[in-house]
Amino acid sequence: MKDSLIRVITKDAGIQMTAILSTGIVERARQIHKTLPVATAALGRTLTAASMMGNQLKAEAGSVTVQVKGNGMLGAIVAVSDHEGNVRGYLQNPAADLPLRPDGKLDVGGAVGRGYLMVIKDVGMKEPVSGTVALVNGEIAEDLTRYFVESEQVPSACALGVLVDTDQSVRQAGGYLVQLMPGVTEEQISRLEKNIAQAGAITAMLEAGLTLADIARRVLDGFEMEILESAPVEYRCACNRGKVLGALVSLGREELTQLSEEEGQMEVTCQFCDKAYTFTNQELAALLEQASQ
């Protein structure tokens, strides 16, 4: 089953929900970055969340960046999504790993540590809009829930999951984001909370063969639900040779000169997709001339 997401709204209550199957996205990230299980789960949850948030943007050229910066062994985690939910990401230490927690789950919170979560939304205005919150526990989902409440004043419930198989590949990955709009009653909130508690883990639902629509119906049981959108999503890097050239020019003449003298030729590797771009002496000379203008 290919990765996809759906956006849902309730007709009889102010509740909106996005749900995503991101197994292919997270497995692609694992292959690119050669992550060990805890790193796979941490990066996968962040990619999954960023994809859902990106798809919520109304600006066609918009993007959402989710940064998780803790003091644990994983270092910084970064995920960037376009307005359709296509996403890319990386983390500082893909080889980070920890023993399983006493409950048998991957210790993502321990590997992330304490720190903060930042969300940057670029919707085509002069300056991107950003919000930062302290990490709750480094498990990503609860941290994002705090972000929505504190930075966007939107009561939310977020579920993210990555199930890593015995061969370290990604068996299941997905998530959902439920957000309350003004006018929701206490009775409706109580019903929703009960549904979420009974629904169980997102990876368990995917493992049981539930579709995204099935998951939405389970979480929104008792509400009249309408699916607004269903769309494919994928791991997609936006790098190309022209963008890399632009980044090199931005280094400035002094640093470019130093690099060209040291290397003779330069190889630049994209952080997101690990693609390497090689530039010859002639190309570096042309860049130096451009930088001096």
Side-chain angles (χ1 to χ4, degrees):
M1 190 162 30
K2 288 190 175 180
D3 289 352
S4 61
L5 60 72
I6 62 169
R7 286 196 301 113
V8 173
I9 194 167
T10 56
K11 294 181 178 180
D12 52 348
I15 303 171
Q16 56 187 10
M17 176 177 177
T18 303
I20 181 173
L21 172 67
S22 56
T23 306
I25 287 171
V26 182
E27 173 61 14
R28 180 70 185 125
R30 183 191 73 85
Q31 292 173 359
I32 290 170
H33 301 296
K34 300 176 177 59
T35 50
L36 292 181
V38 166
T40 299
L43 178 57
R45 292 178 191 180
T46 310
L47 288 166
T48 299
S51 177
M52 290 191 289
M53 294 168 70
N55 182 263
Q56 292 179 339
L57 294 178
K58 294 180 174 62
E60 281 199 12
S63 68
V64 170
T65 301
V66 179
Q67 298 179 355
V68 179
K69 294 192 176 181
N71 62 1
M73 61 173 59
L74 285 172
I77 307 168
V78 178
V80 183
S81 175
D82 64 18
H83 75 283
E84 294 178 326
N86 300 305
V87 67
R88 60 195 186 274
Y90 67 90
L91 75 173
Q92 277 186 304
N93 187 5
D97 207 15
L98 283 175
L100 295 175
R101 298 185 330 202
D103 61 4
K105 297 184 186 242
L106 293 168
D107 192 3
V108 172
V112 169
R114 295 184 177 182
Y116 64 89
L117 178 144
M118 176 184 288
V119 175
I120 304 166
K121 293 186 177 183
D122 187 344
V123 292
M125 308 293 284
K126 287 185 178 179
E127 294 291 334
V129 178
S130 66
T132 304
V133 295
L135 294 174
V136 176
N137 58 11
E139 294 285 337
I140 314 301
E142 292 89 342
D143 307 311
L144 274 167
T145 299
R146 169 179 278 186
Y147 161 77
F148 281 113
V149 172
E150 293 188 7
S151 289
E152 298 192 7
Q153 289 75 53
V154 179
S156 306
C158 182
L160 302 168
V162 176
L163 180 61
V164 178
D165 216 333
T166 52
D167 63 356
Q168 298 192 358
S169 66
V170 179
R171 186 178 174 92
Q172 300 287 355
Y176 63 78
L177 179 61
V178 181
Q179 297 183 301
L180 305 182
M181 294 176 281
V184 179
T185 66
E186 288 298 325
E187 182 183 350
Q188 290 168 338
I189 292 172
S190 295
R191 180 190 298 171
L192 180 62
E193 288 175 342
K194 183 179 178 182
N195 289 349
I196 290 171
Q198 291 179 340
I202 180 71
T203 49
M205 288 190 278
L206 293 171
E207 188 75 350
L210 272 66
T211 66
L212 294 179
D214 293 335
I215 291 169
R217 289 188 193 97
R218 182 173 288 189
V219 173
L220 299 175
D221 184 40
F223 297 97
E224 189 179 353
M225 185 184 92
E226 178 184 358
I227 296 176
L228 299 177
E229 179 187 8
S230 177
V233 288
E234 65 181 11
Y235 191 102
R236 184 185 296 176
C237 187
C239 77
N240 57 48
R241 195 172 181 82
K243 288 183 179 179
V244 175
L245 280 168
L248 288 174
V249 169
S250 70
L251 291 175
R253 182 177 180 82
E254 186 176 340
E255 191 164 348
L256 264 178
T257 302
Q258 184 179 348
L259 287 170
S260 65
E261 288 173 350
E262 289 177 359
E263 303 294 338
Q265 68 175 25
M266 184 188 302
E267 184 175 280
V268 180
T269 302
C270 176
Q271 284 182 297
F272 293 105
C273 69
D274 213 28
K275 184 175 180 180
Y277 295 87
T278 302
F279 299 92
T280 64
N281 286 337
Q282 289 83 359
E283 287 173 307
L284 290 173
L287 282 175
L288 285 167
E289 185 176 340
Q290 184 178 345
S292 63
Q293 291 175 354

